[in-house]
Amino acid sequence: MKKQYLIILLAVFLIAFFPSCKKGTVYKTLIITGQSEHNWKASSPVLKQILDGTGMFSSEILITPEKGGDMASFNPDFSKYKLVVLDYSGDSWSEKTNKEFVEYVRNGGGVVIYHGSSISFPDWKEYNEMTGLGGWRDRNEKDGPYVYYRRNELVIDTTAGIAGSHGERHDFEVRTRITDHPITSGLPGRWMHGSDELYQQLRGPAKNMQVLATAFADTAFDGTGRDEPALMVINYGNGRIFHTTLGHADEGGGPAMQCVGFIVTLLRGAEWATMGSVTQEVPFDFPTAAGVVLRPDFKEINFEEAFGNIGSYDIQKSTKYFTWLQSQIRKAAGDEKALLKLEKKMVNILTDKEASVDAKKLLLREISWMGTEYSIPAIKGLADVTELKDDVEFALTRLQVVK
Ligand code: ZN
């Protein structure tokens, strides 16, 4: 009897706690920064915020000695971490530290190479093998071929020439090239990225490397006219490296780091580098070719939260949630079911006595072009509200039902 009781207890314990154990795993992460042509004081805290915000990573920022400082004192114990993120393009590390880093990756350590880190360590052979492609710092044909896409074909181009450049910053389209990789699985084929530098003419050993996504370097923005690699994965020994050229930082992150495409690919890349698989779902605010979607506070805007906030909108407030709603409507274009779901949520706010007049004005404008018959009774119900009289009339006229 007592034994039976223990077995039941054990079973209950396993059922109750085992799944949460796995889900609750937090990966210790080291972000290395401290020297860069870039504003690392802006980017590193944002990287930490993005990673830690998932609850999946727990990261610490390690600042190296200043440029020209004693690099022998920079000697982290990489083996304590599941993931190392490089936001660094400064002085060479000591030979001992280099050796330990290579050892860490060979033994299965995960690495994320972020934006300006593509520039680092031109003379460190193993580093260049880990990043696959790099640029600047006198790199040229001796460092490896150019790699890019032309007419949907991957091109390995050994033409002599400089490595690394970018034109002026702008919003640009990213194309997913490999769709069955854990990082890109489920992402749209094309999506818009927030104003960024588009790295081009990168060259390197490109061994054991896959180009997951490219960005078209438009000649109108001093681009090469090629589809340049933007997201890459590299296998090195037992280690996995995710290399993103995206995410040039402004103070507070700016559009390139606030871009949902940057955030989500960084997180999925970080998880893949750590575990070799990706458990994170593609969030519903992921951009498409229709336009850039930003997360100003780096957190995913959730459906209920967004509609909760839209109802209390007044003209003093940020239009963040309306921008979100508009992007949702754009994304749902052609999908009647998704549009009706949004329309129903909008009508709930129109009929909510607590919701603000300013919110209703903006919603009436949206509904006037994307709404259906479903909205009409709710709109007519607002005809008595003096401040909304014109907006109601306008919406009903656009919906072609005014009698
Ligand atoms: Zn940059």
Side-chain angles (χ1 to χ4, degrees), residues 148-217:
Y148 51 86
Y149 265 77
R150 190 174 50 206
R151 289 183 219 102
N152 298 328
E153 297 279 338
L154 184 71
V155 179
I156 311 289
D157 178 352
T158 55
T159 312
I162 62 144
S165 65
H166 63 77
E168 59 179 288
R169 283 178 70 171
H170 61 292
D171 294 352
F172 54 81
E173 190 181 84
V174 176
R175 276 184 78 167
T176 308
R177 295 291 176 175
I178 295 176
T179 52
D180 59 358
H181 190 277
I183 297 172
T184 44
S185 167
L187 297 188
R190 294 160 183 260
W191 49 274
M192 286 301 292
H193 175 51
S195 179
D196 204 346
E197 293 163 344
L198 197 163
Y199 279 11
Q200 58 189 9
Q201 296 180 296
L202 298 181
R203 46 195 326 164
K207 284 191 281 186
N208 305 315
M209 180 185 88
Q210 286 180 292
V211 176
L212 296 184
T214 59
F216 178 67

Side-chain angles (χ1 to χ4, degrees), residues 297-313:
D297 55 3
F298 308 103
K299 285 202 301 261
E300 183 179 354
I301 297 178
N302 118 351
F303 207 79
E304 299 307 322
E305 171 205 342
F307 278 101
N309 278 283
I310 286 168
S312 63
Y313 173 79

